[in-house]
Amino acid sequence: QVQLAESGGGSVQTGGSLRLSCAASGDTYRSKCIGWFRQAPGKKERVEVAAICRGSIDGYYHFAVAGRFTVSHDSVDNIVYLQMTKLKPEDTGTYYCTEVVDGTFVSFGTWGQGTQVTVSS
């Protein structure tokens, strides 16, 4: 079974940047695609943010972050990055990574522990 670990969260002001990392270990054969999700404070729903698949240079994005966030991957070290720029208060939340079905945001069900991002105005 794959294990996922997020890191890189923090507190920034509006317009700031952060880079999140999702490290995959264990049984990674199924981890062709990794997606990032955000859970806003007080909300149960995890909303899709971005995802990328092995062998792809470009990821795919929720419209709310397209042009501000960039997802990339290091296939050698099994790390997926989420570079976040021009951050807004509505980007605040706990960010999780998960394996997703290719081309979608449908999770296979394995999640990391999350990393907190706080954007202040």
Side-chain angles (χ1 to χ4, degrees):
Q1 184 175 356
V2 66
Q3 290 84 45
L4 301 169
E6 304 91 339
S7 62
S11 297
V12 296
Q13 293 186 327
T14 297
S17 300
L18 284 172
R19 189 177 79 158
L20 307 184
S21 299
C22 172
S25 61
D27 188 5
T28 59
Y29 80 94
R30 194 177 63 176
S31 304
K32 181 181 178 183
C33 304
I34 295 292
W36 284 97
F37 288 70
R38 179 182 68 250
Q39 185 171 3
K43 303 290 185 180
K44 291 185 178 180
E45 182 185 20
R46 295 179 181 179
V47 177
E48 58 264 24
V49 175
I52 193 166
C53 300
R54 287 182 182 178
S56 297
I57 296 176
D58 298 321
Y60 46 100
Y61 303 87
H62 188 279
F63 69 88
V65 305
R68 299 189 297 122
F69 292 9
T70 302
V71 62
S72 61
H73 62 92
D74 179 337
S75 296
V76 175
D77 293 331
N78 281 322
I79 300 175
V80 173
Y81 299 101
L82 183 67
Q83 178 69 50
M84 306 187 295
T85 65
K86 301 177 183 177
L87 282 161
K88 305 176 181 180
E90 51 263 43
D91 297 319
T92 293
T94 303
Y95 283 71
Y96 298 89
C97 61
T98 182
E99 299 173 280
V100 294
V101 176
D102 192 355
T104 77
F105 285 106
V106 177
S107 171
F108 280 110
T110 300
W111 298 83
Q113 82 288 348
T115 187
Q116 178 67 39
V117 171
T118 303
V119 184
S120 58
S121 58

